[in-house]
């Protein structure tokens, strides 16, 4: 594919105007951003389930049609997530080696989900009640891309406690990316694309996981076999700890002094990429996070003390 690098404008899922990089040639404008790593490529599944589908081609480099919104956000937010990992953690794409970022939108019919397939991001349109097109939320895209970071580093097995940590890392970095770009930042997940007719709700809350029925203490962990052993359920334990580490608070009588998003992000990134292994459980997660914080700030630092307090607050001792 040859052509000129160009900047297009368009409207995202929620009607917001934004600009993004495209490749233009005699065929028209492709959602190809050659300025980041080996490139960001966004495809159209045309409501079927073959991936990646067709590379997105637009006629005039202006992406204002309703059908374009999902692609505009998938492309733009993938670029922002790339920038977060490069600029904040010096990681070039999800593998650290500039891997291409492939996204497919309009996957399936009224498909209420988004996922990392093992090689690319995939976004459904939602049914319009439970979800609107799922690429419309930056925390969701960063959630999916963090699965790729995890798979190319700790490679946490997607079940039971290692799977819950895998899921929590995706929620943590999804939230940190949303804060980094100051995109209506909060400690909820998927709020921008979940239940358009219900204000103030979200898929999951990191501040209070019990709002979606998930545990906020290790003693309340799910031990069944559903959801790959509760990977989207027991993630609440780590999500609550992450909220406390960044923001501070008192939980079940344990007080945590917040250290802020940036330090928390550096600690979790180092934990994920240097210490966690495929079979890590919550106990090893605590030890690893303390070690990462010790490497960065010293054994007697306030940051290490807050990591210990955050894990103790959620019952991981
Ligand atoms: C990231 C987030 C937007 C997305 C949200 C999501 C969507 N679903 C299915 C789903 C469908 C319908 C409802 C309903 O209330 O009617 C709720 C949930 N479950 N979770 C999600 O969490 N997807 C999983 C997909 C995992 C697929 C297995 N690898 C993930 O990326 O972890
Ligand atoms: Zn996930």
């Amino acid at each position: 594919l040859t052509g000129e690098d160009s900047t297009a404008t368009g409207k995202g899922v929620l009607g917001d105007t934004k600009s993004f990089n495209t490749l233009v040639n005699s065929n028209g404008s492709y959602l190809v951003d050659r300025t980041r790593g080996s490139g960001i490529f966004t495809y159209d599944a045309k409501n079927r389930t073959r991936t990646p589908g067709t590379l997105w081609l637009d006629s005039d480099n202006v992406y204002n049609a309703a059908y374009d919104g999902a692609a505009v956000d998938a492309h733009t937010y993938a670029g922002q997530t790339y920038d977060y990992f490069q600029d904040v953690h010096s990681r070039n794409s999800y593998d650290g080696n500039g891997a291409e970022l492939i996204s497919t939108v309009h996957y399936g019919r009224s498909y209420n989900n988004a996922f990392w397939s093992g090689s690319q991001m995939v976004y459904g349109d939602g049914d319009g009640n439970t979800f609107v097109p799922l690429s419309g939320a930056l925390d969701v895209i960063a959630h999916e891309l963090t699965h790729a970071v995890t798979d190319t580093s700790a490679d946490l097995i997607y079940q039971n406690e290692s799977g819950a940590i895998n899921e929590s890392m995706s929620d943590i970095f999804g939230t940190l990316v949303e804060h980094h770009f100051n995109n209506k930042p909060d400690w909820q997940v998927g709020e921008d694309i979940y239940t358009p007719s219900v204000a103030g709700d979200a898929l999951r809350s990191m501040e209070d996981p019990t709002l979606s029925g998930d545990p906020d203490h290790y003693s309340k962990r799910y031990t069944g076999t559903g959801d790959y052993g509760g990977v989207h359920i027991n993630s609440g334990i780590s999500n609550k700890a992450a909220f406390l580490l960044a923001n501070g608070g008192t939980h079940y009588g344990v007080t945590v002094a917040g250290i802020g998003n940036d330090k928390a992000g550096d600690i979790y990134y180092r934990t994920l990429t240097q210490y966690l292994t495929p079979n890590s459980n919550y106990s090893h997660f605590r030890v690893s996070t303390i070690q990462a914080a010790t490497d960065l700030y010293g054994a007697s630092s306030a940051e290490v003390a807050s990591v210990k307090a955050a894990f103790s607050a959620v019952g991981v001792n």
Side-chain angles (χ1 to χ4, degrees):
L1 185 68
T2 61
E4 300 285 309
D5 293 328
S6 175
T7 301
T9 61
K11 286 181 188 165
V13 169
L14 304 179
D16 49 325
T17 295
K18 55 198 72 178
S19 59
F20 42 92
N21 297 321
T22 57
L23 185 148
V24 173
N25 64 23
S26 57
N27 298 325
S29 162
Y30 290 96
L31 284 183
V32 172
D33 175 358
R34 295 190 303 193
T35 71
R36 293 178 167 98
S38 305
I40 298 178
F41 304 81
T42 302
Y43 289 77
D44 185 4
K46 302 178 183 176
N47 294 119
R48 306 290 298 261
T49 54
R50 281 192 303 274
T51 54
T54 309
L55 188 61
W56 194 284
L57 177 61
D58 179 85
S59 57
D60 62 358
N61 218 27
V62 176
Y63 292 68
N64 287 335
Y67 190 77
D68 299 342
V72 165
D73 282 343
H75 199 65
T76 306
Y77 291 155
Q80 289 186 1
T81 305
Y82 173 92
D83 289 350
Y84 169 81
F85 281 107
Q86 178 62 66
D87 299 347
V88 178
H89 303 296
S90 303
R91 188 185 190 90
N92 179 6
S93 194
Y94 59 82
D95 66 345
N97 199 28
E100 295 184 352
L101 297 185
I102 311 288
S103 302
T104 294
V105 296
H106 296 310
Y107 176 86
R109 294 189 181 289
S110 300
Y111 186 68
N112 279 328
N113 216 330
F115 58 93
W116 172 256
S117 75
S119 59
Q120 67 159 98
M121 292 164 277
V122 183
Y123 302 97
D125 288 334
D127 61 15
N129 296 307
T130 301
F131 292 105
V132 298
L134 284 91
S135 59
L138 176 55
D139 62 354
V140 167
I141 291 185
H143 174 109
E144 301 310 342
L145 208 43
T146 300
H147 278 307
V149 173
T150 296
D151 291 355
T152 53
S153 54
D155 198 13
L156 287 155
I157 294 166
Y158 202 67
Q159 67 178 13
N160 304 329
E161 291 195 11
S162 54
I165 298 163
N166 181 318
E167 266 304 306
S168 179
M169 284 292 183
S170 279
D171 286 347
I172 288 167
F173 285 106
T175 289
L176 291 177
V177 170
E178 190 178 274
H179 281 258
H180 184 71
F181 289 96
N182 199 30
N183 183 325
K184 296 181 287 181
D186 53 38
W187 285 80
Q188 301 188 106
V189 178
E191 65 282 348
D192 293 340
I193 45 99
Y194 188 58
T195 59
S197 62
V198 179
D201 68 341
L203 251 176
R204 301 185 274 275
S205 168
M206 301 178 74
E207 181 170 2
D208 183 4
T210 67
L211 291 177
S212 50
D214 301 324
D216 62 357
H217 195 273
Y218 190 71
S219 64
K220 300 181 174 183
R221 66 192 179 281
Y222 172 75
T223 55
T225 59
D227 184 33
Y228 309 97
V231 301
H232 295 95
I233 300 167
N234 291 329
S235 52
I237 297 158
S238 170
N239 285 353
K240 178 70 185 190
F243 170 80
L244 290 167
L245 180 62
N247 301 286
T250 300
H251 188 55
Y252 293 105
V254 178
T255 296
V256 183
I259 64 172
N261 291 6
D262 294 348
K263 288 179 177 176
D266 288 346
I267 291 167
Y268 282 115
Y269 181 78
R270 185 171 182 80
T271 302
L272 179 64
T273 58
Q274 299 291 333
Y275 292 106
L276 293 177
T277 60
N279 286 295
S280 291
N281 57 21
Y282 263 105
S283 174
H284 186 241
F285 186 21
R286 175 193 169 98
V287 170
S288 298
T289 312
I290 290 168
Q291 186 58 58
T294 299
D295 297 345
L296 293 169
Y297 305 106
S300 56
S301 64
E303 291 81 1
V304 166
S306 288
V307 167
K308 292 175 178 175
F311 276 94
S312 294
V314 298
V316 178
N317 292 297

